[in-house]
Amino acid sequence: MSVLRWKSFEENEDRPDKPRRYGVTEMRGPHYTLLTQNVLQDIFESMGQFVDGLKFSGGSHSLMSKDFIKEVTNMAHQHDIYVSTGDWAEHLLRRGPSAFREYVEECKNLGFDTIELNVGSLEVPEETLLRFVHLIKSGGLKAKPQFAVKFNKSDIPIGGDRAFGAYIVPRPRSTEFVEDVDLLIRRAERCLEAGADMIMIDADDVCKYADSLRADIIAKVIGRLGLEKTMFEASNPRTSEWFIKQYGPKVNLYVDHSQVMDLECLRGHNLGKNHASVLGSSYFLF
């Protein structure tokens, strides 16, 4: 009877051991797909070496029991996998000024390592966003602001003063969204200066579909922010393949759990290794 073993990627100098600063693979967790604790355990045991982070998408953790969340975060940590929140912080603003600080403390107690801030959904002044980053960092967690390339027209500074943090005269909320890559970059740069660990770029209007990837926007974002500090959502295998071919194995990507193995094979193939399959026939034992 033959026994299968995973191919080892240790010989690749460009694929360091976890925790990795680049070439990060963040996996989509509960929300879009029903992942039970047993399913997650199977994923971690079979390919945990290729997964750097697990994200509870869409605030799904708010619907789960604290005991279940702790079990999942503990399980992830046993495989050196960090755990991130998804879009949820914006729902706390109606509770008052102290709500966000309490949220950070609760996330820490539940075992989360990273808090994601969806800048578009938060709709807070720029200085408030920076204060949230500081609160997350002071709480001992990592901060990951998420930016979209389109902004509400009401949030774009006018009159020539486009500096991050500049006072903007209040205007009625617009229903129009406009593309502004330079504003995205300037806001992201300020967040990084405030201590943010990673900038997540929303797939919408940038890289959601492989046939309509905005290579110009992606190149500008990476050129200004750096490959190590940016993460892109790869909605499908073709998008992942494009990113690896264009930017190599060091690009940070957020993918569905079903794409993890394919992505790792792409990273290995780009390094000049033949990783068309992670099952190495040379490891068959008879």
Side-chain angles (χ1 to χ4, degrees), residues 162-179:
R162 297 165 56 84
F164 188 97
Y167 175 74
I168 303 175
V169 178
R171 288 178 288 166
R173 296 300 295 174
S174 173
T175 57
E176 181 181 356
F177 284 78
V178 296
E179 182 179 298

Side-chain angles (χ1 to χ4, degrees), residues 99-112:
F100 190 82
R101 188 186 301 273
E102 295 170 359
Y103 173 64
V104 172
E105 188 62 29
E106 181 180 13
C107 287
K108 187 174 182 178
N109 292 335
L110 290 174
F112 286 99

Side-chain angles (χ1 to χ4, degrees), residues 95-208:
R95 299 184 188 175
S98 64
F100 190 82
R101 188 186 301 273
E102 295 170 359
Y103 173 64
V104 172
E105 188 62 29
E106 181 180 13
C107 287
K108 187 174 182 178
N109 292 335
L110 290 174
F112 286 99
D113 307 284
T114 301
I115 292 180
E116 185 171 283
L117 297 171
N118 189 321
V119 177
S121 298
L122 282 171
E123 295 186 344
V124 295
E126 296 165 347
E127 292 303 325
T128 301
L129 174 63
L130 294 181
R131 184 169 62 85
F132 286 169
V133 172
H134 283 299
L135 285 173
I136 293 171
K137 297 298 293 183
S138 63
L141 301 180
K142 293 185 177 181
K144 183 177 60 177
Q146 176 180 343
F147 287 92
V149 72
K150 287 188 175 181
F151 295 86
N152 189 297
K153 192 173 183 180
S154 307
D155 296 329
I156 298 179
I158 57 177
D161 186 358
R162 297 165 56 84
F164 188 97
Y167 175 74
I168 303 175
V169 178
R171 288 178 288 166
R173 296 300 295 174
S174 173
T175 57
E176 181 181 356
F177 284 78
V178 296
E179 182 179 298
D180 196 325
V181 185
D182 291 327
L183 184 59
L184 181 160
I185 292 172
R186 276 192 289 271
R187 288 187 168 187
E189 286 175 334
R190 190 66 186 279
C191 284
L192 290 173
E193 291 172 0
D197 300 272
M198 184 76 73
I199 301 297
M200 172 71 81
I201 304 300
D202 195 314
D204 289 345
D205 304 304
V206 178
C207 53
K208 190 169 186 178

Side-chain angles (χ1 to χ4, degrees), residues 204-219:
D204 289 345
D205 304 304
V206 178
C207 53
K208 190 169 186 178
Y209 304 105
D211 294 332
S212 57
L213 281 163
R214 293 293 303 275
D216 55 333
I217 293 177
I218 295 169

